[in-house]
Amino acid sequence: MTRLSFLGAVARVFVWAFLLALAVVVLYPLLWMTLNGFKTNAELFGDPFALPLDWSFDNYAKAWNRGVSGYLSTSVLVTVTSTVVTVLVSAWAAYGLTRADLPFGRGLTGIILGGLMLAPTVALVPLVKMFQAMGLYNTFWALLILYTAFRVPFTTFLIRAYMIDLPREVDEAASMDGAGRWTCFWRITLPMCKPILVSTVLLHILFTWNEYLFAMVFTSGTGVQTLPVGLTSLMSKHGTEYPVVFAGMVIAALPVVLLFLFGQRYIVKGLADGVGK
């Protein structure tokens, strides 16, 4: 064995060891949380790292019946609606920035992308006052507007970076055949952007599903609270059933984990074909 092949073998061993350690660090908390959802309080505090004695789904049923089902429905509604609105608005904005000859186009691009520098926490107080004055506080519309407004700059940035490299000759040929802007966008450009659109959809879902700050500040009623905020209601001052809390956390995490497992290759492909160019 030559020296170079020996060094290559050692490097592969270190890489696989690192990846294995990383997988344990990521997967073990999820496994531990899932297993503790099958225990009782006594089992959990007696030995939190032991296997459950009784593999019963009672804690998961309790979490579901104590409000997790309603919080899950709200999260799905907010996530799906804000994702559709954000991606469509961002795609249309990116199309205008890359295909239309807009006056002060570079300045307009800078203004839109400047939204990436605005920290949500800085705008909390004025946003609360504005939403209260408009009657939107503690409503579904508040979360929809906030999640859309604060994600449009980032999503526009990703889609614009992908559209820049698309051939403009296709749009020009369609225009010569009588297609308007909207037809070119909807039937030609948008289908060619499928990889980056899938990536932005998945990234927005991951953000919205786990977002806590806006959901906590702008909602206070049980009918409009999302999962991250609603799970805190399972905690009681007079004694918390922590296995029920863990069960609720597993229910909340399961859709996102499955979505990421099935969609990670689309995220990588979309970002590599777009921003990575």
Side-chain angles (χ1 to χ4, degrees):
M1 180 181 293
T2 64
R3 180 179 177 83
L4 289 178
S5 60
F6 173 75
L7 293 177
V10 170
R12 283 194 295 272
V13 170
F14 275 107
V15 169
W16 280 106
F18 172 76
L19 293 176
L20 180 61
L22 185 62
V24 171
V25 170
V26 173
L27 295 178
Y28 180 74
L30 296 175
L31 179 62
W32 181 82
M33 181 175 67
T34 304
L35 293 177
N36 282 332
F38 291 97
K39 297 181 179 180
T40 63
N41 256 357
E43 289 181 79
L44 179 61
F45 287 105
D47 189 352
F49 300 101
L51 292 176
L53 299 178
D54 182 18
W55 295 83
S56 173
F57 286 91
D58 289 344
N59 292 325
Y60 289 88
K62 288 180 181 178
W64 185 263
N65 294 327
R66 291 183 184 179
V68 171
S69 59
Y71 302 135
L72 181 66
S73 301
T74 303
S75 287
V76 170
L77 178 61
V78 172
T79 300
V80 171
T81 308
S82 65
T83 299
V84 172
V85 175
T86 300
V87 173
L88 287 180
V89 170
S90 301
W92 184 243
Y95 180 81
L97 294 173
T98 56
R99 293 296 187 268
D101 296 325
L102 300 174
F104 309 106
R106 290 184 178 273
L108 186 59
T109 302
I111 292 174
I112 295 176
L113 300 184
L116 293 171
M117 298 182 289
L118 179 61
T121 52
V122 177
L124 279 181
V125 175
L127 282 175
V128 168
K129 292 183 177 295
M130 183 180 70
F131 278 52
Q132 287 175 339
M134 298 172 62
L136 297 177
Y137 184 78
N138 196 31
T139 65
F140 163 80
W141 295 103
L143 295 181
L144 174 60
I145 293 172
L146 291 169
Y147 291 158
T148 301
F150 279 92
R151 294 296 290 182
V152 161
F154 175 71
T155 309
T156 302
F157 168 73
L158 294 180
I159 300 177
R160 174 183 173 274
Y162 191 92
M163 282 188 180
I164 288 176
D165 292 321
L166 295 180
R168 303 188 65 169
E169 291 79 7
V170 180
D171 297 76
E172 294 172 356
S175 298
M176 293 177 64
D177 290 335
R181 287 287 189 186
W182 178 253
T183 303
C184 291
F185 166 73
W186 191 254
R187 295 190 177 183
I188 298 175
T189 305
L190 212 56
M192 291 193 297
C193 293
K194 182 180 177 180
I196 194 63
L197 291 178
V198 174
S199 298
T200 53
V201 165
L202 294 176
L203 290 174
H204 187 87
I205 290 175
L206 293 175
F207 162 79
T208 307
W209 192 266
N210 297 307
E211 201 282 326
Y212 180 79
L213 180 63
F214 283 152
M216 179 190 66
V217 174
F218 290 89
T219 60
S220 59
T222 55
V224 292
Q225 287 181 331
T226 57
L227 267 172
V229 178
L231 288 176
T232 59
S233 65
L234 298 178
M235 309 281 288
S236 172
K237 295 180 180 179
H238 306 289
T240 299
E241 292 185 72
Y242 286 99
V244 176
V245 177
F246 284 124
M249 294 169 63
V250 172
I251 295 174
L254 187 60
V256 176
V257 172
L258 294 177
L259 180 68
F260 180 78
L261 290 177
F262 286 106
Q264 59 180 332
R265 66 189 184 95
Y266 294 104
I267 296 178
V268 174
K269 177 175 173 38
L271 296 180
D273 290 345
V275 181
K277 288 182 179 180

